[in-house]
Amino acid sequence: MLELKVNGRIHSVDVEPEMPLLWVLRDHLNLHGAKYGCGISLCGACTVHVDGVAVRSCSLPVASVAHKEIVTIEGLSQHGLHRIQQAWIENQVPQCGYCQTGMIMTAAALLAKNPQPTDADIDATMTNLCRCGTYARVRQAIHSAAGAPATRANAAKS
Amino acid sequence: MAFILSRRQFLKASAAVGGGLALEFSFPLSSADAEGATGTTEVNAWVVIHTDERVVVRIARSEMGQGSYTALAQLVAEELECDWSKVSAEFASPNEHIRRNRIWGSMSTGGSNGVRSSQDYVRKAGAGARAMLVQAAAARWDVPVRECTVARGVISHRPTLRTLRYGQVAAAAAQLAPPAQVKLRDASDWTIAGKPVQRLDIPDKVRGKPVFGVDVALPGMLHASIAQCPVFGGKLKSVDAHAAEKMRGVKKVLREDGYVAVVADSWWRANEALKKLDIEWDPGANGSASNESIAAMLREGLADPGLPQARKQGDVGAALASAATVIEAEYHSPYLNHATLEPQTCTAWFRPDGFLEVWTSTQNAEASMAAAAKAAGLPLEQVEVHKMMLGGGFGRRGAPQDFVTQGVTIAKAMRGTPVKMMWSREEDMQHGYYRPASLVRMKAGLSAQGKLVALHARIACPSILAVLQPGRNTSGVDFTAVRTLSDMPYTVPHQQIDYAMRNGHVPVGFWRAPGQQNGFYRECFIDELAAAAGKDPVEFRLGMLNEGDKNRLVLEAATRAAGWGTPLASDVHRGVALVNGFGSYAAIVAEVSVSAKGELKVHRIVLAIDSGYVVNPDTCRAQAESNVVYGLGSILYQENNVKDGRIVESNFHDFRLPQISEMPKVETVLVPTGGFWGGHGEPGILPLTAAVCNAIFAATGKRIRSLPLTHHDLRKV
């Protein structure tokens, strides 16, 4: 049995150590926010946080993240919406929405590390793929979230 | 006794985080028994009103990001005159649709039709419900209907200062006969439609709620991954499943005609076991097909002397013979996968009572119903398709329902147990219904004054309709293969468009704006002709467009907004193109630069579009941005090559999607002129490729006549 700490809760999972974290989340813990898009760490739809760092869970063996702090979109904010999620709504970012949870997780990790990212920072970090073309609004939402004062709940997280 | 798990309840159940899954079941609601049990009333098929004033609008079309889910609700709410803040939407049940004699019209979602082809009847449904609600209030007060007014879901009788809310009279209204005739509101009076209201689907999407087909979770559900014969049309010869069957969690290895499926207790386990199968395929007749054989097939088509004509006007032969200048060029495009980010998926459950439930990401729920019923051997009434949000569609999930047939076939072998099938990205890349590859030769004649007098095009292109609508009589001409060339708005006296239907073995399908490659050909060739005539590309086009032609209006709107003719930074160059389609008119001015190393940067796209009416301007702008990125990938680097009968590319490393750093600034100029309803999901892509390639010519002097650009050296010579 492996112990996983996801969104603040400890889960015991009986899975192969090499099973990618994504599939433990989706098929064993019933957390469907992280998506499968490519399975080879290219698209970023599977992005979650491990110890505060945005990682692509489709290629990450679950054994490598045992006892680490794993946060998925479902646990991004304990109280209401994270300011990034709010910015995503204000800027009407998603279209189909499939890549968006990964985008949001990448953006949240970026802002936690770099509260005022430049366009170049965004270009370098936001390498998640979107087939619908939400990129301009992703950029706009990150800038607007960076400019907005953090709420108490969010300040505590970042 | 039949029970149906409603999508709403299913979502509620499967959203339970980490705490197991508690499913709730409900009896199907119909208009007769809905009220009382739940406090809701179906006023008519489209409008459900709760006693607490919440309004639920039923949506028959699918939502794949294009925004129809919200726009259609806006149109209904506009006519209903309800309080928009209390409006939500839900998908209409396809099973109920069948049982109620297809009461929700078309469920097909393609061709940029979501809003434009249903706007009339959904608005009438909203207006009809409003009339019934007012009539019910008037009856309760015993006053004439004409003395009642409505604002934001509140009916008032001014003379007596009485009010009733919709929720208070919905039950009585539902008992009334629908009005025979309703008057629709004029667009100039709209307060909900025409406004950039926030999309109804976005809050769930930013929370990561399980809204997509791949997110379905049911008690005891198993997972399936499949391997299809890599050569289209090939068959399974043999499979050694010895090793796979012993792997952890594996429940079954299913052998079908053209594929093998592994069913396991998680998708990863199913897919890992799939990789361990030792499969021998029989490639059939297509095992040696290649890019070269396909190119030869298309080239043979161009040489065919007996081709049917998609258009014939005047006498191109004579006009070309007497033209002052004759220009000829050949253009080519590759096959392209839709590459929806959510791979094809279908969950199916043969219930113990004999009913089949299917959950899938579909652009056409009726087609899904038909495919599921056929694969199951059940009547349509014994099937329900739960419409999930689509992780992209772009035409892949409408006419072809291969994934539903497979999902149901797999679940049939596991009767009683729900099975969720999902394709790997590799399967998805190699088993699409591709944008057709095509080869076009165009020949044009210019008069001594530089006027285009004759255009003769020969188009060799696989037929989408031959694959997806084989019974349809096309008289040898597939309109999706010839459009934009066969229906030019330009006043060219002599035109002839010949079509060579050369189908090959690669399945082709409706890829966003089917036929859009012809916009690339036509508008780049027009640019070549303008250059040969020594004319400005905008002036050249305007000279061939009649006064009042809406193509002319969008061309002028785009060039005005882009500042056509005004100075740019020294390394930035402009290109222009114009194409109408899917009910709308679109023109683009592209600004690009090409570095000394030959690297292209697309800086700015100005897109003007006239769709007649605009229901949600923000969504329309989003669709413009979407069309630009979707098209940009195909310009820059996307192609699907064929070798040994199969698609070469397998994932996003060799079928790249643009990243955020490549996204140009997109400026959308909405110029709705009224009087017609055009689409937004596709028209924006129509002029894109040509505008960018014409800008590349302005920057480098190089004509791009085939794509993607990875095959071209853009360095200045």
Side-chain angles (χ1 to χ4, degrees), chain A residues 26 35-37 92 132 135, chain B residues 199 214-215 269 425 626 658:
Chain A
R26 287 185 62 83
K35 307 296 184 203
Y36 167 87
Q92 293 286 290
C132 296
Y135 293 133
Chain B
R199 285 173 55 150
V214 296
D215 296 337
R269 285 173 180 157
R425 173 57 54 195
S626 182

Side-chain angles (χ1 to χ4, degrees), chain B residues 557-573:
Chain B
T559 51
R560 196 182 314 122
W564 184 264
T566 61
L568 285 164
S570 63
D571 61 336
V572 178
H573 299 266

Side-chain angles (χ1 to χ4, degrees), chain B residues 224-243:
Chain B
S225 183
I226 74 168
Q228 300 162 84
C229 181
V231 178
F232 303 109
K235 304 247 178 279
L236 178 64
K237 200 167 175 183
S238 68
V239 57
D240 178 355
H242 200 68

